Amino acid sequence: MAKIAFLGTGNMGAPMSRRLLEGGHEVTVWNRSAEKAKALEKNGAKVAGSIAQAVASADAIFTM
């Protein structure tokens, strides 16, 4: 499966990130409001401290 960086985990980005995680992808998330990104940890997402960290080893990048 792909390593995916998802930048923006608000009303649209969070559900999309969850679906990617459910599909077996490795998803690293980042959001301006860190608490929104951290909410996805329970679903298996890795939380990045910066955009650069999130995209460093990604095969694909989503921005929302």
Side-chain angles (χ1 to χ4, degrees):
M1 292 293 158
K3 291 183 180 180
I4 298 171
F6 211 104
L7 312 175
T9 56
N11 291 336
M12 290 176 58
M16 294 172 79
S17 295
R18 281 190 210 96
R19 293 291 286 176
L20 292 167
L21 288 161
E22 290 168 4
H25 299 286
E26 182 181 316
V27 181
T28 302
V29 295
W30 176 87
N31 196 73
R32 285 182 302 158
S33 302
E35 66 275 358
K36 288 185 180 182
K38 286 190 178 279
L40 292 165
E41 279 184 310
K42 66 179 178 231
N43 299 103
K46 295 179 183 177
V47 179
S50 68
I51 293 172
Q53 185 183 32
V55 304
S57 64
D59 298 319
I61 302 166
F62 290 85
T63 60
M64 193 59 49

